[in-house]
């Protein structure tokens, strides 16, 4: 259809467990757009730091090493890929160790500057439009995005979803970990997790994934018509 060929940049932000990744991938696939998971890039650099003996509790050491790894992101929503120095990192970056350290690494200004530039270059080089998901896309990375969406959900709903993704995880512990990460991401000085002033907020607490996808698709199509 004609709208599927219209170029549009969509920024989808929000904390963990709101359905960001599933929604972003599905919307991109449905509308024929590219897809970028920016959180995976921060996980990738964190994984590299852990693998290379960098003290992730030492911001100065992180800053010095930040430019060393070569991170390449694939933008096919049906099969998004990420490599670090040519090695497939899509599995290793999802470990609990990486999850527990990524906020500390991504808070370092030098890391954010490098990854932000990488994200902007990917978006600029994409023809036909892209859905970019993360925590600071609408506010910092792509402030001129055609459409900005901020997904939210109650901590309880988010913990239930995240626990469902990780076998044998404890719901209470998952909820506490999510709240702790929210505080770290929202409180960092450089590009904190925040809703852009012109973003459309979508509370996914009471919605099924399919309902969230349909809502976002409608918003994107409305933006294309307006353009």
């Amino acid at each position: 259809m004609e709208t599927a060929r219209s170029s549009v940049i969509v920024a989808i932000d929000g904390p963990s467990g709101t359905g960001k990744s599933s929604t972003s991938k599905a919307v991109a696939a449905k509308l024929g757009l590219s897809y970028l998971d920016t959180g995976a890039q921060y996980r990738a650099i964190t994984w590299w730091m852990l693998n290379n003996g960098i003290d992730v509790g030492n911001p100065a050491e992180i800053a010095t090493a930040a430019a060393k790894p070569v991170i390449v992101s694939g933008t096919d929503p049906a099969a998004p890929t990420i490599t670090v120095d040519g090695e497939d990192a899509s599995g290793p970056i999802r470990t609990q160790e990486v999850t527990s350290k990524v906020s500390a690494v991504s808070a370092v200004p030098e890391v954010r500057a490098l990854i932000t530039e990488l994200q902007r270059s990917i978006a600029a080089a994409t023809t036909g439009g892209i859905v970019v998901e993360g925590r600071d896309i609408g506010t910092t990375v792509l402030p001129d995005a055609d459409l900005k969406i901020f997904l939210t959900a109650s901590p309880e709903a988010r913990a239930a979803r995240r626990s469902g993704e990780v076998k044998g995880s404890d719901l209470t512990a998952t909820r506490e970990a999510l709240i702790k990460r929210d505080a770290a991401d929202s409180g960092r000085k450089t590009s904190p997790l925040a809703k852009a002033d012109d973003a459309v907020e979508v509370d996914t607490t009471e919605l099924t994934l399919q309902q969230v996808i349909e809502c976002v698709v409608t918003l994107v199509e409305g933006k294309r018509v307006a353009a």
Side-chain angles (χ1 to χ4, degrees), residues 11 32 45 60 87 90 100 118 153 168 170 172 178 190 193 214:
I45 198 167
E87 182 180 350
S90 53
S100 66
L118 175 60
D170 176 81
T172 303
L178 284 173
T190 307
L193 164 67
E214 287 170 5

Side-chain angles (χ1 to χ4, degrees), residues 193-216:
L193 164 67
K195 176 190 168 191
D197 292 339
D198 53 348
V200 178
E201 184 169 322
V202 178
D203 189 332
T204 69
T205 304
E206 302 294 336
L207 302 178
T208 64
L209 175 59
Q210 196 54 46
Q211 286 173 324
V212 179
I213 293 166
E214 287 170 5
C215 173
V216 175

Side-chain angles (χ1 to χ4, degrees), residues 11 14 28 41 60 70 82 85 118 143 152 170 174 213-214 222:
Q41 295 173 320
V70 177
I82 187 157
D85 295 337
L118 175 60
T152 64
D170 176 81
T174 300
I213 293 166
E214 287 170 5

Side-chain angles (χ1 to χ4, degrees), residues 66-196:
K68 292 181 181 178
V70 177
I71 298 169
V72 178
S73 297
T75 57
D76 178 358
T81 58
I82 187 157
T83 63
V84 181
D85 295 337
E87 182 180 350
D88 177 17
S90 53
I93 64 171
R94 302 295 170 183
T95 64
Q96 186 53 47
E97 183 184 23
V98 171
T99 299
S100 66
K101 306 294 185 187
V102 67
S103 286
V105 173
S106 61
V108 176
E110 288 82 357
V111 170
R112 296 210 75 82
L114 281 162
I115 299 292
T116 294
E117 198 51 47
L118 175 60
Q119 292 160 1
R120 286 175 178 160
S121 67
I122 291 169
T126 303
T127 56
I130 189 169
V131 177
V132 184
E133 62 135 314
R135 285 170 166 72
D136 65 340
I137 310 307
T139 54
T140 301
V141 180
L142 300 169
D144 297 324
D146 300 299
L147 175 64
K148 301 174 189 177
I149 295 168
F150 193 84
L151 298 184
T152 64
S154 70
E156 291 72 24
R158 291 164 53 211
R161 289 170 189 163
R162 194 43 60 93
S163 291
E165 293 169 5
V166 184
K167 261 190 172 180
S169 59
D170 176 81
L171 187 60
T172 303
T174 300
R175 180 179 179 276
E176 288 173 359
L178 284 173
I179 291 172
K180 185 178 178 182
R181 183 165 181 197
D182 287 350
D185 291 344
S186 302
R188 65 173 177 248
K189 290 181 180 179
T190 307
S191 302
L193 164 67
K195 176 190 168 191

